[in-house]
Amino acid sequence: MIEMIHNDKKKLPAILGGTPVRKEQLPYAKQYIDDDDCRAVDAILKSEFLTTGPMAKEFETEFAEYVGAKYAVAFANGTAALHGACYAAGIKPGDEVITTPITFAASANCILYLGGNPVFADINKETFNIDAEEIAKKITGKTRAIIPVDYTGQVADMDAIKEIIKGKNIVIIEDSAHALGTKYKGNPVGGLADMTEFSFHPVKTITTGEGGMITTNNKDYYTSLINFRSHCITRDISQFEDTNNDEYWYYEQLGLGFNYRITDFQCALGISQMKKLNWFISRRKEIVARYNDAFKNLDGVILQKNEKFSDTVNHLYVLKLNLKLLRADRKEIFNAFHAEHIGVHVHYIPVYWLPHYQKLGYKKGICPNAEELYNCLLTVPLFPAMNDGDVDDVIEGFFKIINYYRK
Ligand SMILES: *Cc1c(COP(=O)(O)O)cnc(C)c1O
């Protein structure tokens, strides 16, 4: 699986000439599936339950324990999970929810699904994460929630964000789609915010094909999430509005939920992937350490600053091109990498630049740091199945291309 990143109309030229660094294209990310994973899925396909059942429960229990949260609810995908979290937080038409523009559109779309208004707070120039001071500037009487994103896997400054909303009726929904395994001041992400979302899309740290999770320590959120995942239909008598009904078949729909259930065979894959998580984490960290070591000596690129409070497991490794030192723009440099068969990528276009958001009336220029970063961003390939030779190729490619374009 890999997202299609360019179509035939945009065939990329071999710009630097000579022999490409690699014979075959190295993607920017890729899942890691082994025979144990296949056996785990196969067993469930031959069992009684295909959709949300005992495997989902087991996956949720293990996952909650891993991140140090009381509850976990698995969803069909991370976007559905974010939608559920916004529902549980009570987001209603007209409510404002603050998030970062440097994220996947889902972090803001989940607000729109409930009629809320996304408000974009600018990023810190060095860490590329949402800036707590910028959040403070955007808070109004209508602010109901904040969705900080742990961009690339580096956790947002949760204590600073909590300080800002102290005494206010504002819910924190942490988008940790990038950050499974990351620790903030020694504590894993997943138990820090009111609710935390994870994604199991194939490029993420573990995969279930499609899948997502919300973790929380709050029982009311938990109940609400479980209901929302399945139409807000419940058979739990203690939740009934009409308590006189004791028919065996009786159920109630308490709100407008969706069918966001995950299958049990996906959850079996998730459980199997969790067994490899320690290795995924250490391999990602190894590769990141090698990149940091190499790229700190490369004039022309700027590394993402590491915050001391974040023990980061990177989902993405991004570099900022120092265009003042280079004779080309990001597009030309991006194309040169693809000609060398190194699948660099760009994460992300500022969300409010996307046509849907432009049509909603968001103006360009509202988050200058984010826009400046976007024009210089490159995502470097990073996934556990890369071998040391692949990592060498990426580093060689960067030195070849960046030095070529050096002024
Ligand atoms: C991957 C991702 C999500 C969720 O994506 P799904 O594909 O729906 O699982 C949400 N936010 C961010 C920042 C992501 O990268």
Side-chain angles (χ1 to χ4, degrees), residues 41-261:
V41 172
D42 190 58
I44 299 307
L45 287 173
K46 292 167 183 156
S47 79
E48 194 67 23
F49 282 94
L50 290 188
T51 189
T52 318
M55 286 299 110
K57 195 83 209 136
E58 190 177 323
F59 185 33
E60 289 167 347
T61 305
E62 259 189 45
F63 196 90
E65 199 168 303
Y66 180 82
V67 302
K70 270 200 193 134
Y71 308 102
V73 182
F75 280 85
N77 55 69
T79 307
L82 279 171
H83 188 182
C86 286
Y87 174 84
I91 303 306
K92 296 197 168 50
D95 288 347
E96 293 177 0
V97 180
I98 300 172
T99 191
T100 170
I102 298 295
T103 185
F104 182 54
S107 315
N109 288 345
C110 61
I111 305 161
L112 295 176
Y113 295 156
L114 289 155
N117 297 324
V119 173
F120 295 97
D122 208 352
I123 56 162
N124 177 286
K125 274 187 182 182
E126 292 178 333
T127 67
F128 313 155
N129 260 347
I130 193 164
D131 188 324
E133 284 172 28
E134 295 296 322
I135 293 175
K137 287 185 207 161
K138 298 288 166 103
I139 289 182
T140 73
K142 290 182 183 167
T143 309
R144 284 285 84 83
I146 299 173
I147 306 182
V149 178
D150 302 328
Y151 175 64
T152 71
Q154 172 157 255
V155 58
D157 192 349
M158 298 305 289
D159 285 349
I161 296 170
K162 285 178 189 172
E163 190 59 35
I164 289 165
I165 62 160
K166 221 181 203 162
K168 297 189 171 80
N169 184 20
I170 296 176
V171 179
I172 303 179
I173 301 166
E174 189 177 355
D175 183 342
S176 299
H178 296 185
L180 178 56
T182 291
K183 292 190 175 122
Y184 178 70
K185 300 181 181 174
N187 300 308
V189 300
L192 309 168
D194 294 302
M195 288 177 267
T196 307
E197 174 259 346
F198 296 89
S199 165
F200 311 126
H201 180 277
V203 297
K204 303 285 164 63
T205 303
I206 64 166
T207 190
T208 58
E210 296 282 357
M213 191 80 82
I214 298 290
T215 57
T216 183
N217 290 317
N218 180 311
K219 182 138 200 266
D220 293 337
Y221 292 150
Y222 173 70
T223 306
S224 186
L225 291 161
I226 290 278
N227 287 347
F228 186 76
R229 177 175 69 182
S230 198
H231 314 276
C232 286
I233 286 176
T234 182
R235 293 174 182 277
D236 172 4
I237 292 173
S238 71
Q239 296 183 47
F240 285 173
E241 296 193 0
D242 179 358
T243 47
N244 292 323
N245 270 291
D246 62 356
E247 295 97 340
Y248 184 77
W249 66 85
Y250 187 69
Y251 54 84
E252 287 189 353
Q253 184 185 330
L254 303 169
L256 187 58
F258 286 72
N259 178 355
Y260 278 163
R261 293 185 300 266

